[in-house]
Amino acid sequence: DAGVIQSPRHEVTEMGQEVTLRCKPISGHNSLFWYRQTMMRGLELLIYFNNNVPIDDSGMPEDRFSAKMPNASFSTLKIQPSEPRDSAVYFCASSLDIPGQGLEQYFGPGTRLTVT
Amino acid sequence: SQQGEEDPQALSIQEGENATMNCSYKTSINNLQWYRQNSGRGLVHLILIRSNEREKHSGRLRVTLDTSKKSSSLLITASRAADTASYFCATERQGGSEKLVFGKGTKLTVNP
């Protein structure tokens, strides 16, 4: 099992450019989560999907952020246009949601985004 | 607002000593989990304790949960330099969605 795969691992872009982050969850998992981590704000949940459907996007900062999950094995997080304050490490995590059992999340290695 | 708040923010100990980290939360929960993050890496799940459990062990890890005080502790016994990492608690709210809410973590340094 390769674990959660994220790409790219590092992204440096200029303000105003579009950024697309990609995630492949663990096969068989039915929930997928996008997080952002900064020193100031810690780890923040941006959005999560269950069975490819967005369930809670209340953590998405603003309309510049969008996320999709076209199938069970792929998700994207897009920022358009990017701003310097979006600089952070973005993590994707997946889990197998079994009602009543609690969920253990498996994290990818993260994408370090720098917007100049 | 942050559901879990870890204490202390940073902890430095010598190899072989025990490390204790605490977590407080605000609402009723289904379970509480502890994760570890090595520098530059993603988080790794360590242990999950349910709201009806009071203590749980896994190797050198011991977790306690006091729902009346809305607090949990993580004890790492006989620490090793490889335990150096940040440790986060995360809570799954009772009656809420499946999402976890993470604290800001405790940065543990184990000196050889």
Side-chain angles (χ1 to χ4, degrees), chain B residues 64-110:
Chain B
T64 61
L65 179 64
D66 187 334
T67 53
S68 66
K69 295 181 180 178
K70 291 186 169 57
S71 67
S72 173
S73 67
L74 171 66
L75 169 66
I76 303 174
T77 60
S79 63
R80 306 166 182 168
D83 295 329
T84 294
S86 291
Y87 292 81
F88 296 84
C89 70
T91 50
E92 181 184 330
R93 293 182 185 183
Q94 192 175 74
S97 63
E98 59 189 311
K99 68 182 183 182
L100 297 178
V101 180
F102 286 81
K104 290 196 172 181
T106 292
K107 186 174 176 61
L108 173 67
T109 301
V110 181

Side-chain angles (χ1 to χ4, degrees), chain A residues 28-32 49-55 69 71-72 97, chain B residues 98:
Chain A
H29 281 187
N30 57 0
S31 290
L32 183 140
F49 296 83
N50 182 260
N51 293 321
N52 312 340
V53 176
I55 302 300
M69 191 163 187
N71 57 62
D97 177 32
Chain B
E98 59 189 311

Side-chain angles (χ1 to χ4, degrees), chain A residues 17-98:
Chain A
Q17 296 297 307
E18 177 180 294
V19 174
T20 299
L21 311 181
R22 297 172 176 79
C23 175
K24 178 178 168 53
I26 292 173
S27 177
H29 281 187
N30 57 0
S31 290
L32 183 140
F33 306 81
W34 281 102
Y35 292 91
R36 178 172 68 178
Q37 187 177 40
T38 61
M39 289 294 291
M40 288 296 294
R41 299 175 67 89
L43 192 67
E44 301 174 281
L45 177 67
L46 300 177
I47 185 171
Y48 84 91
F49 296 83
N50 182 260
N51 293 321
N52 312 340
V53 176
I55 302 300
D56 186 342
D57 65 354
S58 59
M60 295 286 262
E62 48 199 273
D63 292 345
R64 297 185 297 107
F65 285 69
S66 62
K68 294 182 180 179
M69 191 163 187
N71 57 62
S73 59
F74 183 66
S75 177
T76 60
L77 177 68
K78 186 177 292 187
I79 308 173
Q80 165 64 18
S82 59
E83 297 181 2
R85 61 191 167 122
D86 301 330
S87 297
V89 181
Y90 290 81
F91 288 102
C92 175
S94 70
S95 70
L96 178 59
D97 177 32
I98 301 175

Side-chain angles (χ1 to χ4, degrees), chain B residues 30-100:
Chain B
N30 285 332
N31 64 71
L32 184 145
Q33 304 179 32
W34 285 91
Y35 287 77
R36 183 187 72 216
Q37 183 179 32
N38 289 84
S39 181
R41 302 282 185 95
L43 279 73
V44 175
H45 181 267
L46 295 176
I47 196 165
L48 180 153
I49 185 165
R50 302 188 195 287
S51 60
N52 61 353
E53 298 176 309
R54 292 297 167 256
E55 188 171 309
K56 205 161 184 178
H57 297 255
S58 177
R60 294 185 295 113
L61 304 180
R62 172 179 169 248
V63 170
T64 61
L65 179 64
D66 187 334
T67 53
S68 66
K69 295 181 180 178
K70 291 186 169 57
S71 67
S72 173
S73 67
L74 171 66
L75 169 66
I76 303 174
T77 60
S79 63
R80 306 166 182 168
D83 295 329
T84 294
S86 291
Y87 292 81
F88 296 84
C89 70
T91 50
E92 181 184 330
R93 293 182 185 183
Q94 192 175 74
S97 63
E98 59 189 311
K99 68 182 183 182
L100 297 178

